[in-house]
Amino acid sequence: SSGINAEYGGVSKMDKTNVLLLGPTGTGKTLLAQSVAECLKVPMTICDCTSLTQAGYVGEDVESIVAKLLIASDFNLEKCQKGIVFLDEVDKISMRSKETSVRDVSGEGVQQALLKLLEGTLVTIPERLIPSRKLRSDPVQVDTTNILFIASGAFGGIEKIVRSRKIKKTIGFGSVVSGEDAALNDKKTSFQDQLKINDTFLRDIDAEDLVNFGIIPEFVGRMPVAVPLMSLDREALVTILTKPKNSIIAQYKYLLELDECKLTFTDDSLNAIADLAIQKRTGARGLRSILEMTLTDVMFDVPGSDICEVVVTRESVEGKSPPIQKLREKQSEVVSQQAVTV
């Protein structure tokens, strides 16, 4: 290791690289950060940026973020200083229009308060934020230099900002219209194709686009890695429905199995659920609501009935017909059939 250290100019420490995740809702941004923290076995806290305000105003101060991480690490200061902070809904603290004269305490003010926290500073945790009585005697100071900050947000409409930067519109007979711009304006273009075109713009996101969205340049500079997450297609949504250990389909099958009823989904029905979630623009979060709408009546009909199997088809997902219900044979009928055969 000493040879490697000498080769790279005597590197004594490695700086952290904060990450900004952006993409449509329901694409797995929060789940991705949770999985990383679980694999690395480090404490992690998820902070909702919508509740943060500038110091001195009603709401949570930025120090409460570090206090939550300290609680998540079971008040182990060494663990806390190597943890992960997930700043969720960071796009909701974007800067308001400069034309308004009202002080922006929940937007630009919060971004400015987070700057030193992201870069690395000593944060003194107020006593009111520490529920444990053991640590109330001395003020607790946490160094955020090695705490990894992962910011996340949907940034709705940012693809339009990227599009206006890349495609310069001209007027006149000799104006050139790009293929993507023409496809977006064409009414014949399918909704899924429009999502794919928007994803191509999202891949080309730049710091300039984030600043135009309302994030201050100092905040963008402290998030050197911007990772765009693409919209989930039909294949990905069907995989989410069926493949995970605690998948949504498996949960509903288990619920009906408690009443000795088998739940079956056709391949067409799974594709219909995925297509409906894409149309609603809710991503993976919309899958459960679609299943609830499809199976609400079934969940009430099955308990205490003779239904032994429920088959969900494409028509039942689209609301054209109820799911197919198969009844079990009654014991008396079975006995009478056996007597006839004897």
Side-chain angles (χ1 to χ4, degrees):
S1 62
S2 59
I4 296 173
N5 195 15
E7 183 183 350
Y8 290 97
V11 177
S12 58
K13 70 168 187 174
M14 293 290 292
D15 292 332
K16 65 179 179 182
T17 304
N18 296 324
V19 181
L20 175 64
L21 300 176
L22 49 102
T25 181
T27 51
K29 298 184 288 292
T30 309
L31 180 64
L32 187 63
Q34 287 174 336
S35 303
V36 168
E38 191 175 339
C39 292
L40 296 176
K41 292 182 171 55
V42 293
M44 175 186 174
T45 184
I46 298 175
C47 172
D48 188 7
C49 289
T50 54
S51 61
L52 297 175
T53 55
Q54 203 171 353
Y57 291 87
V58 175
E60 293 185 11
D61 298 339
V62 292
E63 289 83 6
S64 64
I65 300 172
V66 186
K68 289 176 183 176
L69 184 62
L70 185 63
I71 295 167
S73 58
D74 200 17
F75 298 99
N76 187 328
L77 195 59
E78 187 179 352
K79 268 186 172 182
C80 175
Q81 292 179 155
K82 294 178 181 177
I84 297 175
V85 171
F86 188 80
L87 300 172
D88 203 6
E89 307 292 350
V90 77
D91 56 321
K92 305 302 184 291
I93 58 170
S94 59
M95 192 167 48
R96 288 180 188 169
S97 175
K98 294 181 180 178
E99 297 175 1
T100 57
S101 58
V102 182
R103 188 173 178 84
D104 192 6
V105 296
S106 61
E108 185 183 359
V110 176
Q111 291 185 50
Q112 290 172 351
L114 284 169
L115 294 180
K116 288 304 292 179
L117 211 66
L118 296 172
E119 193 172 7
T121 186
L122 277 174
V123 178
T124 304
I125 309 295
E127 289 185 2
R128 58 186 173 81
L129 297 177
I130 302 175
S132 176
R133 294 181 180 177
K134 298 175 184 176
L135 300 174
R136 284 191 176 176
S137 55
D138 301 320
V140 182
Q141 285 193 325
V142 179
D143 187 5
T144 64
T145 305
N146 294 320
I147 294 176
L148 178 66
F149 287 88
I150 302 175
S152 160
F155 289 88
I158 198 168
E159 66 275 356
K160 295 178 182 177
I161 298 173
V162 181
R163 183 172 131 201
S164 62
R165 174 176 59 84
K166 290 189 67 181
I167 301 172
K168 302 296 183 185
K169 289 190 176 181
T170 55
I171 301 173
F173 293 106
S175 61
V176 180
V177 180
S178 69
E180 292 91 348
D181 207 21
L184 282 173
N185 293 325
D186 190 1
K187 294 181 179 178
K188 295 181 181 178
T189 306
S190 66
F191 182 73
Q192 293 188 14
D193 290 338
Q194 288 181 1
L195 286 179
K196 289 178 182 177
I197 295 169
N198 286 333
D199 286 344
T200 58
F201 288 121
L202 209 58
R203 286 191 186 96
D204 298 329
I205 199 162
D206 198 2
E208 180 188 349
D209 304 317
L210 293 169
V211 173
N212 289 332
F213 187 83
I215 308 297
I216 60 175
E218 300 94 315
F219 191 93
V220 176
R222 286 165 173 81
M223 291 283 173
V225 179
V227 182
L229 274 74
M230 303 300 107
S231 303
L232 297 176
D233 57 4
R234 180 199 286 176
E235 187 179 351
L237 289 170
V238 171
T239 304
I240 292 168
L241 273 172
T242 55
K243 294 293 176 67
K245 185 180 178 182
N246 295 320
S247 65
I248 309 172
I249 295 289
Q251 291 177 30
Y252 280 98
K253 284 185 176 180
Y254 174 74
L255 281 173
L256 289 185
E257 196 67 38
L258 294 174
D259 292 304
E260 299 179 356
C261 180
K262 183 182 177 184
L263 179 63
T264 308
F265 288 85
T266 62
D267 292 338
D268 277 349
S269 69
L270 295 175
N271 291 332
I273 293 169
D275 291 339
L276 208 55
I278 292 171
Q279 290 175 14
K280 290 186 174 183
R281 300 192 182 192
T282 50
R285 286 195 181 96
L287 297 174
R288 182 175 287 277
S289 64
I290 295 167
L291 280 169
E292 280 289 336
M293 288 172 60
T294 307
L295 296 173
T296 299
D297 293 338
V298 172
M299 302 295 283
F300 283 97
D301 293 341
V302 167
S305 69
D306 294 327
I307 301 171
C308 64
E309 186 179 358
V310 175
V311 181
V312 179
T313 61
R314 173 179 279 273
E315 288 75 18
S316 56
V317 173
E318 293 174 349
K320 296 177 182 177
S321 64
I324 300 169
Q325 299 180 0
K326 297 181 181 179
L327 301 177
R328 65 172 60 90
E329 294 181 0
K330 293 182 180 180
Q331 192 67 27
S332 59
E333 294 177 1
V334 175
V335 173
S336 62
Q337 286 177 4
Q338 289 176 352
V340 170
T341 54
V342 171

